[in-house]
């Protein structure tokens, strides 16, 4: 451990310091004067030693910050969607200069654990190293803690190598190693656990912010893993496999990558307990972000202007950030199975998220049932219901403010649609809910509401519709005017304790986050290319869902999954109109081929006459347009073919949260992967994809043959994964 924490704690006296350090490290601590080396007693008491200053200096030099003058310059990328040089549009770590070699361990190494798949060792300075089981080759020559802060004056970086503190056997087969690192502002304790015959190593980190620099916000806290073998496979956010062909940079969401082959192989995969993974294939470097500000974009109200970019975490002294992931060392499957983002073998999904402003009852019936003269879902002759396309439909609860459609439409003048404004509309929404459509609030009404109205609306939605989603009615207009509701998630809702408490109490969990529609990011995507959220620059973070680690939270323990408020993203608003052909056959086919996720910010029931989702017949009937019918028919056909899942936010994000509770491990001796569901809820249709290795490959589920479907050069198998249960897939021979 670093001297900063010890010195700070010693101000409390020896007993007080030991109490503080025991809480920080979550293990009993005894302080001694200048111990020769770290020690762990039989009773589990950890004796601390301070790191040598040369360790911190070496790590800081190796991971030097990128000068501001060099940002935005560098060699061009070889393809439009792969950043290869120092012009990567986010805070990548500096590339090494040709004259600065990779940092190698100071030999001779001291073996700490001889495993049948790898060897854990430490160099003379205590730095951790993973080698092949015979010690003949390095797999992970260096692990480094990196912390980046931002202030008005620029970016600063701190770095320190991960150093062994102590080790012990739990029994004859299991082992635990305590390691850590210290920078000027952070003390990080790592607990590594493993089994003598297994290639799996669990890494659990807890980093305590001793004294965050005043006026600074956290940009990144990461464990940087240098690897010796080449990075051979990248498991992309869309669950397809990429094979790097040179120096490339990739943001991998929380998926993973494969390294080397044979005895020098390694895999990091499925890391839901960290913020994200990044890979720099040229540097042979893996960045495990416990927090990265680009992973959780957020805007909130700025009382002195329009909005404030609150993406970076604001840290208080003695707050702790945790993260956990698994390493598979010394063995990996030749064809690594990937946990699919969707159930039942689907490889692509789409969600219509309807915004309920400037709508009418007539346009609603036309788009959902085919005609404004139909209110019974069983008699639908067109629209969403006829084609079985589920939506997440937001509505106003009431219209106490008297909002009108008059300035938007000649045909539908009068009050905007609301639940309490029309009993037949309310009954129809209840019918839709029973069919699996998701009904949620577009804020309680078209303008800010009193706390009593907000509470009544949110409580009603939970009781009647089991609502879990919220879609803001708010617009930060380009002229600086703020239009909409105070209680909006992107305005003041998330930073107002009473509203946060109401959302928690009424189980509102999934929030439309429009940050990407406002924040300027490098390499802006084409407005016509937003059907697939994942079809974007591979180096640039673009999560579809996330949680902010600090905004709206007050706890001392921080983590990427700690917040009860889950954001989901859209990129642009849309409704069918002249010059906006987004859902043509080519776009949907590309969504399916790329295993994409599309979440649409749409206004199909908008009353404006420019909206081509509906039309008025000669006899005055309002019906769904043939143009929009063709879109729905095309999407329904793709779903029947098992290619495109048309779903809702509640179902999609609810499934993703279940996947966060799944763990995996590889057992090379039996060529098997074991999937365990640590959650209480079953996961129906849990799906896994793997590349085809041969037509005669026999994949077994719990020892029995299992059917698979071919999808874009891969096979997909699906099965139910029970709560607190496990299933085993075998037939995956080591590389």
């Amino acid at each position: 451990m670093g001297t900063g924490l010890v010195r700070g704690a010693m101000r409390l006296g020896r007993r007080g310091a030991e109490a503080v350090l025991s809480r920080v490290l979550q293990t009993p601590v005894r302080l001694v004067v200048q111990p020769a080396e770290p020690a762990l007693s039989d009773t589990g008491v950890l004796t601390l030693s301070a790191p040598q200053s040369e360790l911190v200096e070496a790590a800081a030099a190796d991971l030097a910050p990128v000068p501001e003058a060099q940002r935005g310059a560098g060699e061009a990328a070889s393809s439009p969607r792969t950043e290869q040089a120092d012009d990567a549009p986010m805070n990548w770590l500096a590339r090494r200069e040709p004259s600065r070699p990779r940092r190698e361990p100071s030999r001779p190494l001291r073996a700490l654990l001889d495993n049948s798949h790898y060897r854990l060792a430490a160099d003379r300075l205590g730095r951790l190293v993973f080698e092949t089981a015979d010690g003949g080759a390095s797999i992970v020559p260096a692990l480094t803690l990196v912390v980046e802060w931002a202030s008005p004056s620029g970016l600063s970086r701190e770095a320190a190598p991960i150093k062994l503190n102590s080790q012990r056997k739990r029994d004859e087969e299991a082992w635990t190693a305590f390691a850590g690192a210290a920078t000027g502002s952070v003390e990080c304790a790592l607990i590594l656990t493993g089994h003598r015959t297994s290639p799996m190593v669990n890494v659990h980190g807890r980093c305590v912010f001793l004294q965050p620099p005043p006026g600074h916000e956290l940009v990144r806290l990461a464990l940087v893993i240098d690897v010796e073998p080449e990075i051979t496979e990248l498991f992309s956010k869309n669950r397809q496999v990429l094979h790097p062909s040179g120096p490339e940079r990739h943001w991998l969401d929380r998926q993973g990558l494969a390294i080397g082959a044979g005895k020098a192989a390694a895999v990091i995969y499925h890391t839901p307990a960290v913020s994200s993974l990044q890979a720099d294939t040229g540097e042979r470097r893996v960045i495990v972000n416990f927090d990265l500000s680009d992973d959780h974009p957020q805007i909130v109200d700025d009382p002195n202007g329009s909005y404030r970019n609150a993406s970076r975490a604001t840290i208080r002294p003695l707050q702790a950030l945790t993260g956990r992931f698994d390493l598979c060392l010394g063995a990996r499957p030749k064809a690594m199975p990937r946990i699919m983002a969707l159930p039942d073998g689907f490889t692509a999904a789409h969600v219509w998220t309807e915004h309920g402003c400037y709508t009418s009852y007539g346009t609603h019936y036309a788009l959902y049932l085919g005609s404004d003269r139909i209110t019974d879902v069983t008699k639908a002759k067109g629209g969403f219901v006829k084609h079985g396309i589920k939506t997440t439909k937001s509505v106003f609860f009431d219209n106490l403010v008297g909002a009108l459609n008059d300035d938007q439409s000649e045909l539908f003048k009068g009050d905007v649609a609301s639940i309490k404004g029309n009993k037949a509309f309310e009954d129809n929404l209840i019918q839709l809910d029973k069919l699996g459509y998701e009904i949620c609030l577009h804020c309680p009404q078209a303008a800010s509401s009193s706390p009593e109205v907000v509470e009544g609306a949110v409580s009603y939605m939970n009781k009647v519709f089991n609502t879990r989603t919220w879609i803001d009615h708010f617009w930060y207009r380009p002229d600086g005017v703020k239009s909409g509701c105070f209680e909006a998630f992107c305005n003041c809702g998330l930073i107002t304790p009473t509203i946060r408490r109401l959302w928690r109490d009424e189980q509102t969990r999934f929030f439309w986050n429009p940050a990407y529609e406002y924040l300027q990011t490098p390499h802006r995507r084409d407005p016509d290319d937003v059907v697939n959220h994942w079809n974007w620059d591979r180096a640039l973070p673009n999560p579809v869902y996330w949680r902010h680690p600090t905004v709206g939270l007050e706890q001392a323990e921080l983590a990427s999954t700690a917040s009860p408020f889950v954001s989901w993203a859209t990129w642009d608003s849309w409704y069918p109109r002249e010059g906006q052909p987004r859902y043509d056959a080519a776009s949907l086919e590309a969504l399916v081929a790329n295993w994409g996720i599309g979440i649409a910010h749409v206004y199909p029931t908008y009353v404006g006459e420019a909206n081509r989702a509906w039309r008025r017949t000669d006899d005055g009937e309002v019906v769904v347009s043939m143009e929009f019918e063709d879109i729905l028919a095309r999407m329904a056909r793709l779903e029947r073919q098992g290619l495109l899942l048309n779903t809702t936010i509640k179902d999609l994000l609810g499934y993703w949260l279940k996947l966060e509770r799944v763990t995996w491990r590889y057992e090379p001796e039996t060529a098997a992967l074991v999937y365990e569901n640590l959650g209480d809820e079953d996961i129906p249709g849990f799906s896994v994809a793997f590349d085809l290795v041969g037509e005669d490959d026999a994949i077994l589920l719990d020892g029995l043959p299992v059917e698979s479907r071919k999808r874009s050069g891969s096979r997909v198998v699906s099965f139910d994964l029970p709560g607190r249960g496990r299933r085993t897939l075998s037939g995956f021979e080591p590389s």
Side-chain angles (χ1 to χ4, degrees):
M1 294 298 299
T3 57
L5 177 59
V6 177
R7 288 171 179 167
M10 282 301 290
R11 297 171 185 169
L12 304 174
R14 178 170 171 176
R15 291 183 181 274
E18 289 177 342
V20 169
L21 294 170
S22 297
R23 179 167 65 88
V24 168
L25 298 175
Q26 296 187 322
T27 190
V29 170
R30 178 171 61 90
L31 288 175
V32 298
V33 178
Q34 299 287 327
E37 65 177 42
L40 187 75
S41 71
D42 293 337
T43 58
V45 177
L46 177 64
T47 301
L48 294 179
S49 64
Q52 300 179 30
S53 59
E54 61 184 285
L55 292 175
V56 176
E57 293 171 0
D62 191 56
L63 295 168
V66 181
E68 291 293 333
Q70 295 180 12
R71 296 179 188 274
E75 63 197 64
S78 63
S79 69
R81 301 194 183 280
T82 302
E83 289 296 334
Q84 292 187 325
D86 286 334
D87 62 348
M90 50 86 59
N91 295 313
W92 281 93
L93 300 180
R95 286 187 182 276
R96 294 182 181 86
E97 298 296 332
S99 59
R100 187 194 304 165
R102 294 171 59 84
R103 175 160 56 84
E104 295 294 334
S106 299
R107 298 184 181 274
L109 298 179
R110 177 165 55 99
L112 305 175
L113 174 73
D114 289 317
N115 178 280
S116 56
H117 300 284
Y118 60 85
R119 187 172 82 150
L120 175 63
D123 70 5
R124 65 182 181 83
L125 299 178
R127 298 181 297 200
L128 284 184
V129 177
F130 284 102
E131 297 184 305
T132 56
D134 58 8
S138 175
I139 303 176
V140 176
L143 297 94
T144 308
L145 173 69
V146 174
V147 187
E148 292 178 335
W149 299 96
S151 70
S153 61
L155 179 73
S156 61
R157 179 179 293 129
E158 305 168 355
I162 300 299
K163 175 196 169 189
L164 177 72
N165 284 328
S166 62
Q167 71 196 75
R168 64 175 171 179
K169 295 180 181 178
R170 292 203 305 271
D171 52 46
E172 285 302 316
E173 298 299 327
W175 62 269
T176 298
F178 295 92
T183 71
S185 60
V186 175
E187 293 275 0
C188 185
L190 292 181
I191 301 176
L192 297 84
T193 57
H195 191 276
R196 185 167 292 277
T197 60
S198 170
M200 306 302 296
V201 176
N202 176 263
V203 182
H204 189 146
R206 187 171 187 271
C207 300
V208 178
F209 298 94
L210 303 179
Q211 188 60 54
H216 286 61
E217 295 173 316
L218 185 64
V219 173
R220 181 205 307 271
L221 190 150
L223 182 62
V224 177
I225 304 174
D226 287 331
V227 297
E228 191 60 39
E230 298 289 340
I231 297 174
T232 56
E233 294 180 334
L234 300 164
F235 308 126
S236 180
K237 53 202 169 189
N238 69 350
R239 276 55 173 182
Q240 293 181 341
V241 179
L242 303 175
H243 298 276
S245 57
E248 299 176 4
R249 286 170 161 172
H250 291 259
W251 180 82
L252 299 170
D253 201 352
R254 293 180 291 179
Q255 293 307 297
L257 69 162
I259 301 160
K263 296 179 179 180
V267 172
I268 303 175
Y269 179 68
H270 184 59
T271 60
V274 301
S275 184
S276 67
L277 298 178
Q278 293 170 283
D280 187 328
T281 62
E283 292 293 290
R284 284 175 286 162
R285 173 176 285 170
V286 182
I287 306 171
V288 182
N289 293 305
F290 283 21
D291 183 62
L292 178 65
S293 60
D294 289 334
D295 290 342
H296 42 74
Q298 182 67 52
I299 58 174
V300 296
D301 179 63
D302 183 352
N304 300 316
S306 178
Y307 60 83
R308 176 174 62 88
N309 185 345
S311 301
R312 293 169 181 157
T314 302
I315 303 297
R316 302 193 308 269
L318 293 185
Q319 281 187 309
L321 176 66
T322 62
R324 180 179 53 79
F325 63 96
D326 292 321
L327 286 166
C328 183
L329 295 164
R332 69 174 178 90
K334 187 182 303 181
M336 179 68 190
R338 290 95 63 198
I339 298 172
M340 296 299 289
L342 304 169
D344 300 321
F346 285 98
T347 54
H350 185 275
V351 185
W352 295 100
T353 67
E354 182 191 346
H355 289 231
C357 45
Y358 294 121
T359 64
S360 71
Y361 307 113
T363 53
H364 164 77
Y365 294 130
L367 265 296
Y368 280 80
L369 308 179
S371 169
D372 67 343
R373 298 176 183 177
I374 302 174
T375 60
D376 185 344
V377 297
T378 64
K379 299 178 180 179
K381 67 176 186 179
F384 288 112
V385 173
K386 178 67 174 179
H387 293 282
I389 305 293
K390 303 296 191 296
T391 69
T392 292
K393 179 180 178 65
S394 70
V395 294
F396 292 134
F397 175 69
D398 211 337
N399 190 21
L400 301 175
V401 297
L404 303 173
N405 288 326
D406 293 20
D407 62 346
Q408 301 291 318
S409 174
E410 291 295 325
L411 183 60
F412 296 103
K413 291 183 179 293
D415 288 350
V416 300
S418 69
I419 291 176
K420 292 305 177 183
N422 186 287
K423 184 62 168 63
F425 180 59
E426 181 179 26
D427 292 342
N428 182 257
L429 295 178
I430 292 173
Q431 293 178 40
L432 291 174
D433 173 65
K434 292 178 180 179
L435 291 178
Y437 291 78
E438 180 181 17
I439 311 300
C440 68
L441 285 177
H442 193 42
C443 289
Q445 56 180 336
S448 298
S449 300
S450 67
E452 293 77 17
V453 170
V454 176
E455 181 176 359
V458 174
S459 177
Y460 167 90
M461 297 299 289
N462 184 26
K463 179 180 179 181
V464 176
F465 299 109
N466 194 30
T467 294
R468 296 292 174 266
T469 299
W470 172 286
I471 295 178
D472 281 350
H473 177 64
F474 198 86
W475 181 21
Y476 289 106
R477 289 173 31 169
D479 60 7
V481 174
K482 303 173 187 178
S483 175
C485 304
F486 166 90
E487 61 271 17
F489 183 78
C490 73
N491 187 37
C492 294
L494 186 58
I495 56 177
T496 302
T498 54
I499 297 176
R500 292 200 307 266
R501 189 179 310 116
L502 174 64
W503 285 334
R504 284 196 301 265
D505 292 346
E506 298 294 342
Q507 302 179 68
T508 306
R509 300 196 66 187
F510 308 131
F511 295 85
W512 173 55
N513 191 319
Y516 284 119
E517 298 191 18
Y518 291 99
L519 298 176
Q520 294 297 313
T521 57
H523 303 277
R524 292 286 290 180
R525 56 195 299 153
D526 188 325
D528 292 330
D529 185 26
V530 293
V531 174
N532 182 2
H533 285 256
W534 284 337
N535 188 21
W536 205 17
D537 194 303
R538 289 173 178 163
L540 186 65
N542 64 324
V544 177
Y545 84 108
W546 64 90
R547 306 167 181 86
H548 198 288
T550 61
V551 176
L553 301 178
E554 300 172 357
Q555 64 258 38
E557 295 289 325
L558 308 176
S560 62
T561 58
S563 175
F565 310 117
V566 183
S567 289
W568 49 273
T570 61
W571 300 95
D572 194 13
S573 60
W574 180 81
Y575 63 86
R577 58 195 185 276
E578 193 70 34
Q580 293 290 330
R582 184 164 296 170
Y583 287 87
D584 57 14
S587 296
L588 291 174
E589 288 171 3
L591 177 67
V592 168
N594 292 323
W595 293 12
I597 299 291
I599 302 178
H601 169 183
V602 293
Y603 299 84
T605 60
Y606 169 58
V607 296
E609 280 77 13
N611 184 0
R612 292 171 56 171
W614 57 266
R615 64 182 181 87
R616 192 183 188 193
T617 66
D618 293 341
D619 67 352
E621 182 182 15
V622 179
V623 297
V624 62
S625 70
M626 289 305 299
E627 178 183 346
F628 202 73
E629 279 283 275
D630 288 344
I631 293 174
L632 297 180
R634 191 176 295 121
M635 298 179 76
R637 184 166 56 252
L638 290 171
E639 181 159 19
R640 289 193 298 271
Q641 295 170 351
L643 300 174
L644 179 67
L645 178 64
N646 295 295
T647 185
T648 66
I649 290 296
K650 180 167 70 173
D651 289 344
L652 183 62
L653 270 68
Y655 186 77
W656 287 344
L657 295 189
K658 288 182 181 180
L659 292 184
E660 291 182 352
R661 301 289 292 155
V662 174
T663 65
W664 71 279
R665 71 173 184 269
Y666 182 48
E667 298 178 349
E669 288 77 14
T670 57
L673 284 102
V674 180
Y675 298 97
E676 185 168 0
N677 181 4
L678 301 182
D680 295 323
E681 298 183 74
D682 295 346
I683 306 179
F686 179 82
S687 298
V688 172
F690 51 93
D691 288 352
L692 295 171
V693 177
E695 293 297 328
D696 296 327
D697 290 344
I699 302 302
L700 304 179
L701 175 63
D702 297 332
L704 299 175
V706 59
E707 293 184 359
S708 64
R709 285 174 279 186
K710 290 185 179 181
R711 291 286 185 266
S712 303
S714 295
R715 290 183 184 177
V716 179
V717 297
S718 301
F719 50 91
D720 295 340
L721 186 57
R724 301 294 173 180
R726 66 182 63 176
R727 306 295 298 272
T728 299
L729 277 179
S730 57
F732 297 96
E733 296 295 333
S735 63

